[in-house]
Every structure is written in structure tokens, then in C-alpha cells.
Amino acid sequence: MNIAALILWIITAAGGFVLLAKWVTGGGIKPENRTRLPAPVVFAHFAVAVVGLVLWIVYLIADVDALAWISLGLLVLLALTGLLMVTRWLPVRAGNADNAQAPETSFPLPVVGAHGLFAIATVVTVLLTAIGI
């Protein structure tokens, strides 16, 4: 289960990296762009994901249960910021926001959906590992 969680986490991170790259190359960090995704939230989401993944790898090597629980806590934080970002992105995707030129308009829907589904699977497998299943 712990290796499955690692694989899912890596796949989720890859999808998130694609979205981050699209957002940054689309001008997401430029103040003149009308993005609905706050840069601090975007970059904090990325940073917490990297830290959590590194902690999970250390957990796999060291087998210290506390690291599994810390990783799970970070995943919960990631889920909350991810939900915040997707709720801010949906009006842009639907064309209901005043952000027709926002960099997140180019996010591929399959990548966003897969990122979310793999994120849920990652949380579940990390939880199951942390409780010893």
C-alpha cells in the first residue's frame, strides 16, 4: 500500500506540475494578468506537495510512523488548497468570469480531472497506510 501511495503521489505531482507550468508560462505570476488563482496559494500548494512527497519517501526508507501522519496532514492541506483553486477556476473554465485572458483558461480539463482523482486516491492510500492497513 505504501508503494502504491508513492506511485499515486508521483502521478498526481506530475499532473500538478503540468498545470503549474501552464499557469506560469501563461503569465500567471504577472500582476497585469487577471488570474483568479492567487500566486501565494499556487506556489504554497506546490511547495507543500513537494515537502509531503519528500517526507513520504523518507517514511518509506526510515519506517517512522509519525512521518506517515505528517504526510497525511500535508495531503489534507493540499486537498483544501486544491479545492479552493478549483472553485476559483471553474467560473473561468465555464466562461462566467471576467477573466477571458487568465492563464488558467488553457488548463486541459482531462489533466485537471485526473489530478483531482489521483489526489483523492493518494489521500486514501496514505490514510490506509498510516492506520496500518
Side-chain angles (χ1 to χ4, degrees):
M1 187 68 70
N2 54 7
I3 298 300
L6 175 64
I7 292 167
L8 288 167
W9 203 323
I10 290 170
I11 293 169
T12 304
F17 186 75
V18 167
L19 296 171
L20 176 64
K22 297 272 289 168
W23 185 78
V24 169
T25 58
I29 57 176
K30 294 180 181 174
E32 65 271 10
N33 280 337
R34 298 176 55 125
T35 182
R36 289 183 45 90
L37 302 178
V41 174
V42 171
F43 288 113
H45 187 78
F46 172 73
V48 171
V50 170
V51 169
L53 180 56
V54 168
L55 284 176
W56 189 255
I57 292 168
V58 172
Y59 159 72
L60 293 177
I61 295 167
D63 197 27
V64 175
D65 289 342
L67 294 175
W69 288 103
I70 293 168
S71 296
L72 180 62
L74 293 175
L75 281 173
V76 170
L77 179 62
L78 286 168
L80 293 173
T81 58
L83 284 172
L84 169 70
M85 288 189 288
V86 80
T87 58
R88 294 184 59 87
W89 170 74
L90 283 172
V92 173
R93 176 73 184 176
N96 297 336
D98 234 5
N99 302 70
Q101 301 302 319
E104 58 270 20
T105 58
S106 66
F107 286 176
L109 186 58
V111 175
V112 173
H115 181 67
L117 290 175
F118 278 102
I120 292 167
T122 303
V123 171
V124 170
T125 54
V126 167
L127 173 63
L128 292 174
T129 300
I131 63 175
I133 294 179

